[in-house]
Each structure stands twice: as structure tokens, then as C-alpha cells.
Amino acid sequence: MASQTTIRTIKSVIPLLDRVLVQRFKPETKTATGIFLPTSSTTSPLPEATVIATGPGAPNKNGEIVPVSVKAGDKVLLPGWGGNSIKVGEDEYHLFKDSEILAKIQD
């Protein structure tokens, strides 16, 4: 029987190497005028996310650490595929490699 690790808080998840922990933006379930949207129109994952934490970076072929290109709090654009999901309570987070992140979104 396989044991399952329970993650109690997302702050206990520390990404390694060039991994980036993100939380996707939650889709709106209600319009500005108060109309509730059906679940089918809000289930597709949005490609935007907020960076929660980052790893220190990965070594290049010379052994030098190359830092990740984003930091906690950045808003990023993600691909529609990839990443590993982590569920903490009702919240879902994703781990991506730094190279998989498509863009940083400027405010």
C-alpha cells in the first residue's frame, strides 16, 4: 500500500532547481451585472497565473547556477499543457520549469 503525503500549507512546498510554483487565476463565475456563468464555461484553465515561489535555478553545462527568470508575486502566462498539479485543501497549485513559462505579464 502506497502512503500519501498530506501538504498542510503551500508555504511548506519549496521548489527545487529551476521549478516555479504558480497558482492559476480562478475564472469568474459571475459577470459584472450579476449573471452567474455555467460551470461548463468556467472550467477551462486560464493560462495566466501568479508566481508563489521559485527554486534557486539550475546549473548550466559549466556547473554555474542560472537563476529563474521570475520571482514570487509576478504574473505569468503559462502554456495550456504541462506542469504538475498540487492540491492543498481546496486550492490547486502547479509546478512548471522556468523554461516552460511563456511570458511575464507587466501591470
Side-chain angles (χ1 to χ4, degrees):
M1 183 167 101
S3 65
Q4 183 174 355
T5 303
T6 303
I7 300 172
R8 295 179 189 220
T9 172
I10 198 61
K11 293 190 184 297
S12 65
V13 178
I14 301 168
L16 300 177
L17 300 173
D18 61 345
R19 303 293 193 289
V20 178
L21 180 67
V22 299
Q23 185 174 31
R24 291 181 190 267
F25 294 159
K26 293 183 180 173
E28 292 294 326
T29 56
K30 188 168 70 166
T31 65
T33 57
I35 298 172
F36 284 93
L37 300 170
T39 305
S40 60
S41 70
T42 61
T43 56
S44 63
L46 295 174
E48 297 96 4
T50 301
V51 175
I52 304 299
T54 65
N60 62 14
K61 63 183 177 182
N62 298 327
E64 300 162 343
I65 299 294
V66 178
V68 294
S69 57
V70 295
K71 64 184 182 321
D74 284 348
K75 291 180 176 35
V76 294
L77 187 64
L78 301 172
W81 48 266
N84 296 75
S85 67
I86 299 171
K87 192 140 180 139
V88 178
E90 294 298 313
D91 295 323
E92 189 169 4
Y93 300 87
H94 299 272
L95 277 168
F96 282 88
K97 283 191 161 195
D98 185 47
S99 61
E100 293 174 338
I101 294 174
L102 302 176
K104 191 183 328 185
I105 300 171
Q106 299 285 336
D107 287 329

